[in-house]
Amino acid sequence: QYMAQIRNLQRYGWLVPYLFGASPAVCKSFFVGKATDLPSFDETTNYAPYATSLRMGDIGYQNSREEGLGLKACYDDLNCYADSLLAATMTPAETWDSIGIKSEDEYRQLNANILQIENEYYSTVRPKQTLRGLEKPSLALKQRGIRYVELRSLDVNAYHPLGLDEIQGRFLEVFMLFCLLVDSPRIDALERREIDRNLLDVAHRGREPRLTLQHRGMRLPMRAWALEILESMLPICELLDGIEGGAWFEDAIDDQIAKVRAPDLTPSGRMLEEMRDKGEGFYQFARRLSHQHQRYFVERELAPDKIAAFDAAARRSLAEQARLEAEPQTDFDRFLADYQAQV
């Protein structure tokens, strides 16, 4: 059932960068020595006029090279997912083999396979199991199942000191439940391409007025599809609000519906408008808000018992570090061979 939820989180996951994407621009220092087709916002900043989350676009967390090598994780079931990643960590790739693993005594890479480790595979959502020591993540999943689902498509909320506000939290709770409860057929090759294309289009052009997305071989207006999904979530809100008393969850959905109808209300839209109004580039904007959030926390002192708890935790951590470093150490070649030999 978790894997079914993950398939739906991929299917409908483009909604997250649209609603909460907070990286419509990027400092030009990111492209030093590199070419980009992103237009200039000012002398310090590149941007895309309708972007929501360039972090989730083709300049951010993507496996473009791995795609060229034929790697795509399988989400049919848990074993299929784990095996597809394990196979990638054991399958040699000519591209990486040409680099070499070691130069004299210095490692250039851990191995010359498609993936060096499973966590090198980027995805908007991943099944996770807590690890025991230096256990490989895929083996932990195969042996003990899924403990939680990691949603990786959420940008930091630039306008909140904690990076996430309560309305977002309530929406995401409903969205995760929605993806758990609705039908979730397996993802075929056509839908895989649609999912990837939709995410890129929303990341780079999400606020474009007439943007269309692909769904089961058809083109759909993005805003109409977004409203359909959000309205389908309202029965879950009604149930949760009935438990808590109030309209907290329904209000959270209403906030998102307003962003679909008025894209300037999205974080990405607000950020670009504010940067224009204040004559700021992305770096200056981010620095100003960072100082603002720093002041928020500096002005709020921790209670003495909290400080004491953190101090005690720090002492325990340092003691554990000293204990580990005092243990007999193997050389890195042996350590790496032992890690890879788990499979």
Side-chain angles (χ1 to χ4, degrees), residues 86 89-90 110-111 113 116 118 134-136 139 143 332-343:
L86 284 172
T89 65
M90 296 184 290
L110 298 178
N111 56 59
N113 299 329
Q116 296 188 50
E118 296 104 300
L134 294 169
E135 184 178 34
K136 290 179 75 69
L139 295 182
Q143 291 167 9
F332 188 73
D333 289 357
R334 181 71 262 163
F335 168 83
L336 186 59
D338 289 344
Y339 181 78
Q340 294 170 337
Q342 293 179 61
V343 184

Side-chain angles (χ1 to χ4, degrees), residues 262-297:
D264 288 348
L265 296 177
T266 60
S268 56
R270 291 173 59 197
M271 290 169 73
L272 289 178
E273 183 178 3
E274 192 170 318
M275 287 162 60
R276 290 189 187 98
D277 289 346
K278 293 185 178 293
E280 294 175 323
F282 186 67
Y283 171 81
Q284 291 78 16
F285 168 84
R287 182 178 175 85
R288 176 171 57 82
L289 275 132
S290 295
H291 283 301
Q292 181 179 312
H293 297 329
Q294 181 192 33
R295 287 193 300 272
Y296 173 89
F297 288 110

Side-chain angles (χ1 to χ4, degrees), residues 65-210:
R65 291 182 177 177
E66 282 73 10
E67 287 168 10
L69 293 166
L71 169 64
K72 270 296 176 186
C74 173
Y75 295 92
D76 290 353
D77 57 55
L78 180 58
N79 279 325
C80 179
Y81 173 83
D83 287 342
S84 64
L85 293 190
L86 284 172
T89 65
M90 296 184 290
T91 303
E94 184 178 344
T95 302
W96 310 135
D97 190 51
S98 63
I99 296 173
I101 296 175
K102 289 181 75 173
S103 176
E104 297 180 352
D105 291 331
E106 183 175 337
Y107 274 87
R108 307 184 78 176
Q109 51 185 345
L110 298 178
N111 56 59
N113 299 329
I114 296 174
L115 289 181
Q116 296 188 50
I117 57 173
E118 296 104 300
N119 284 348
E120 199 177 23
Y121 184 76
Y122 293 118
S123 177
T124 55
V125 56
R126 298 195 298 200
K128 302 289 282 189
Q129 172 59 256
T130 51
L131 305 183
R132 294 174 179 171
L134 294 169
E135 184 178 34
K136 290 179 75 69
S138 292
L139 295 182
L141 285 169
K142 288 170 72 72
Q143 291 167 9
R144 298 188 300 284
I146 299 171
R147 182 163 181 176
Y148 64 96
V149 171
E150 177 189 39
L151 190 64
R152 299 166 54 83
S153 55
L154 194 68
D155 281 357
V156 169
N157 183 338
Y159 290 102
H160 196 281
L162 294 176
L164 181 77
D165 66 31
E166 188 174 354
I167 290 174
Q168 287 177 275
R170 289 186 182 276
F171 167 78
L172 291 169
E173 183 174 349
V174 176
F175 183 55
M176 299 284 276
L177 284 169
F178 170 80
C179 289
L180 182 72
L181 295 171
V182 298
D183 289 341
S184 181
R186 291 183 174 183
I187 295 171
D188 59 22
L190 171 63
E191 190 176 21
R192 177 75 269 157
R193 291 192 294 272
E194 290 180 342
I195 287 169
D196 292 344
R197 186 71 254 169
N198 289 344
L199 182 64
L200 283 175
D201 283 348
V202 171
H204 282 264
R205 301 162 47 218
R207 288 177 293 105
E208 190 176 288
R210 292 180 176 82

